Amino acid sequence: MLKPQATATRELVNLDGLYAFKVDVDRTGHQDEWFKKPLETTLEMGVPASYNDVFADKSIRDHVGYVWYQREVRVPRGWAGERIHIRLDSATHEGMVYVNDVLVAQHVGGYMPFSADITDHVSPGRTFRLTIAVNNELTQATIPPGTVTVTEDGRRKQGYMHDFYNYAGLHRSVWLFSTPGVAIEDVTVVTGVEGTAGTVEYSAVVAGGSGSETVTVTLSDADGVEVAAGDGSNGTLTVPNAILWRPGAAYLYRLTIAVKNDDGTLLDEYSLPVGIRTVEVRGNKFLINAEPFYFTGFGMHEDHITIGKGHNAAQMVNDFELLKWVGANSFRTSHYPYSEEVLEYADRHGIVVINETAAVGLNAGFASFFGEGPKSTYSEEFVNEDTAANHRQAISELIARDKNHPSVVIWSIANEPNSSEDGARPYFAPLAELARKLDPTRPVGFVNVMMDPFDKDTITDLFDVIMLNRYYGWYVNTGDLQSAEKALEAELKGWEAKHGKPIIMTEYGADTMPGLHSLYEQPWSEEFQSSFLDMFHRVHDRVESVVGEHVWNFADFQTSNGIMRVDGNKKGAFTRDRRPKSAAFALRERWTQLGSKKQG
């Protein structure tokens, strides 16, 4: 799943911008074949962005079903003789792509890219009509799951069991790109360290050739100087005195793969950055380059005012700058894969990433919280074989897209599933096995929910790390931090004794209204949030197996309608518009001093 790039043999055109936009209120767009003519609408919508908060129209914000995007696209005239492709970096949660009158691509899963070869449907130098239908519906089988109901007056309502808003639309870029007839389709890189040398094992997939082509590989340092070279589509390069990719000190080499015909003519070329590093779990330690690593940072969300989950480069940089300011060295992509640009930035700046699928809400225990009736988690009515099939797809696509990023050190295959109910182990054992088969080089984990402590959980032994979301002092022992501290420490020591694996606290936090202050550390006040985090940190420092802490959340974010949330979740160390709360300064003080104590 190579990201399109411009090389000596490839070109690409960005198709972001304004599109004609129409909401399929009556669900007739496919029947009436809207893709065969210009959309009858006066609305326009920017790409990339969620559409929900852009229009001053509640019916658009609450719409359940398809919306349609359309624009004219001109194919560069110099692309004659090339293969021509259309790619969407995401369409949440289902995308259908039409070129003129033809459906060329369809994909379910809101956070992964998909593409189509449209060579036979377009002509270089001429325009075509691009129409994209995007469906925001979540069903029992989708990842994440949800339910659609119809009210007595005919309105369709989307229900789901995750605590962030179901933003929809074209959240990431749309591309038109060319490839040669003989093309590199995939590249896999695995790095290692042998003494002072680094190793780069590579495997390239070349399609469209006769078999007589030659493949050459070069590895260059950050200054562009060649440090290793090889022949063939598979091999291992050795880099003497390699500079390793390290947290906070990223160093990237560049691997370039070239395909040539028998007379030496270049047919295709593709390059990607390579960070030489190792990741390992040893006992209760998490090691990067054989050195203990302690995670500090946050669970985050792709969530901004107006554009929702839409990717924006400037806002991404601002978020990373705030991570740097607060002393964070890592984050989790809660609760779905983020834009590839985010991982590329993390690669370049030495930020460590726990990369997570969109499998959130696989837990019937949350049914009452989210207004759903009682149900069993692992049953035909909820998490069944259809769910498992989509979950396998989500894991496979995540690893296929992000396997070469040095910043990614853990695959998290689910957030807060039911891990104690009958059916959990038969459901998750094959998924853990699949993740390891697809990538044997990284630890695999899932994030455990508070309702399934160590004496109830049935699946943690299947995984390499223990990742826990805990809210002692907030959802339980509310406001009583003394009792919360005892309960938290007792549970962490129970996990430590049972499994002896590294523990990462992947969520802990308290809702906090910015500007609310209290002499008595009252819940919802900024003082309580800081004291709450201090309590967790005291416990973390007393439990040897704790190797990381990710506060929930980096910034306040939008959630679905509900009496427990006032304009969203307020657990952020920063407000939704990125102003620091008092807790941000407390975290900065701890984390900037913690590195030298915890690492090494």
Side-chain angles (χ1 to χ4, degrees), residues 14-31:
N14 183 270
L15 300 182
D16 293 353
L18 289 175
Y19 283 64
F21 182 79
K22 187 173 183 178
V23 180
D24 199 347
V25 177
D26 299 320
R27 300 176 62 79
T28 60
H30 292 98
Q31 175 185 323

Side-chain angles (χ1 to χ4, degrees), residues 208-264:
S210 65
S212 63
E213 297 81 12
T214 60
V215 177
T216 60
V217 177
T218 57
L219 188 72
S220 303
D221 64 17
D223 295 322
V225 177
E226 183 180 305
V227 295
D231 296 314
S233 57
N234 300 274
T236 300
L237 307 178
T238 300
V239 184
N241 300 313
I243 302 175
L244 302 187
W245 187 97
R246 300 181 185 276
Y251 189 91
L252 295 175
Y253 294 87
R254 178 156 293 275
L255 182 74
T256 301
I257 300 173
V259 181
K260 300 178 181 179
N261 65 15
D262 52 12
D263 67 0

Side-chain angles (χ1 to χ4, degrees), residues 31 38 68 88 121 139 155 211 221 240-241 291 309 360 374 393 403 452 460 468 500 510 512 514 542 565 573 594:
Q31 175 185 323
W68 295 71
L88 279 65
H121 306 291
T139 71
R155 289 176 294 113
D221 64 17
N241 300 313
E291 299 175 354
K309 292 195 178 306
V360 56
Q393 174 188 328
K403 60 190 174 184
D452 292 335
T460 291
L468 304 176
T512 304
R542 293 197 295 265
R565 302 287 181 235
L594 195 61

Side-chain angles (χ1 to χ4, degrees), residues 15 81 144 180 239 296-297 345 457 511 516 548:
L15 300 182
V239 184
T296 59
Y345 196 97
D457 168 86
D511 282 280
L516 176 63

Side-chain angles (χ1 to χ4, degrees), residues 267-580:
L267 300 175
D268 194 22
E269 181 180 86
Y270 194 90
S271 65
L272 69 158
V274 171
I276 299 175
R277 61 102 181 96
T278 61
V279 176
E280 179 187 0
V281 169
R282 187 184 304 165
N284 65 353
K285 301 299 182 184
F286 193 95
L287 308 179
I288 298 179
N289 300 327
E291 299 175 354
F293 179 73
Y294 191 90
F295 296 78
T296 59
F298 302 91
M300 299 180 72
H301 268 298
E302 292 184 311
D303 178 278
H304 286 85
I305 293 171
T306 305
I307 65 171
K309 292 195 178 306
H311 177 73
N312 179 277
Q315 289 175 322
M316 177 193 71
V317 172
N318 179 237
D319 284 352
F320 273 96
E321 286 296 304
L322 292 177
L323 288 174
K324 178 181 178 182
W325 175 86
V326 80
N329 61 21
S330 55
F331 63 90
R332 174 170 61 118
T333 70
S334 46
H335 303 294
Y336 40 82
Y338 289 0
S339 161
E340 287 173 272
E341 287 79 6
V342 172
L343 298 181
E344 290 168 344
Y345 196 97
D347 291 342
R348 294 194 298 272
H349 293 268
I351 304 298
V352 172
V353 179
I354 300 174
N355 206 0
E356 191 161 85
T357 74
V360 56
L362 303 179
N363 196 324
F366 290 128
S368 59
F369 182 87
F370 290 106
E372 299 282 337
K375 62 178 78 174
S376 297
T377 301
Y378 304 99
S379 63
E380 279 303 309
E381 292 71 34
F382 189 20
V383 178
N384 59 24
E385 180 49 40
D386 291 337
T387 316
N390 286 324
H391 203 162
R392 290 192 295 270
Q393 174 188 328
I395 294 169
S396 300
E397 290 183 344
L398 175 69
I399 294 175
R401 192 194 73 168
D402 296 340
K403 60 190 174 184
N404 295 325
H405 290 285
S407 59
V408 175
V409 300
I410 296 174
W411 301 118
S412 174
I413 68 171
N415 177 75
E416 295 190 343
N418 188 314
S419 67
S420 61
E421 188 179 306
D422 289 345
R425 193 174 185 89
Y427 180 84
F428 275 99
L431 298 178
E433 182 180 357
L434 172 65
R436 287 200 181 91
K437 178 181 178 181
L438 294 172
D439 180 12
T441 71
R442 289 179 176 87
V444 179
F446 81 101
V447 176
N448 172 279
V449 69
M450 193 165 185
M451 297 179 291
D452 292 335
F454 65 90
D455 56 343
K456 293 184 179 180
D457 168 86
T458 64
I459 66 174
T460 291
D461 62 296
L462 300 170
F463 296 90
D464 303 303
V465 293
I466 301 171
M467 297 189 286
L468 304 176
N469 293 351
R470 294 298 183 265
Y471 291 94
Y472 292 104
W474 187 247
Y475 292 124
V476 296
N477 309 115
T478 307
D480 182 358
L481 296 183
Q482 287 179 293
S483 297
E485 187 166 352
K486 293 179 181 179
L488 173 63
E489 185 168 1
E491 188 187 349
L492 291 185
K493 289 186 174 178
W495 285 104
E496 184 176 54
K498 183 175 182 179
H499 293 290
K501 297 180 179 183
I503 300 171
I504 305 170
M505 190 65 66
T506 39
E507 288 186 23
Y508 61 109
D511 282 280
T512 304
M513 289 298 295
L516 176 63
H517 296 282
S518 171
L519 291 173
Y520 314 106
E521 298 178 341
Q522 175 186 356
W524 288 91
S525 69
E526 294 197 34
E527 287 73 21
F528 180 81
Q529 185 183 33
S530 294
S531 295
F532 175 100
L533 297 178
D534 286 344
M535 179 272 289
F536 266 78
H537 297 155
R538 288 194 298 271
V539 176
H540 294 171
D541 291 343
R542 293 197 295 265
V543 179
E544 181 186 354
S545 294
V546 172
V547 300
E549 52 196 45
H550 278 177
V551 171
W552 190 255
N553 190 282
F554 170 70
D556 296 343
F557 59 91
Q558 192 56 261
T559 60
S560 59
N561 297 329
I563 60 173
M564 292 206 45
R565 302 287 181 235
V566 180
D567 192 33
N569 191 304
K570 293 293 192 294
K571 293 187 180 69
F574 298 89
T575 62
R576 197 177 184 212
D577 59 355
R578 279 41 180 181
R579 290 172 294 165

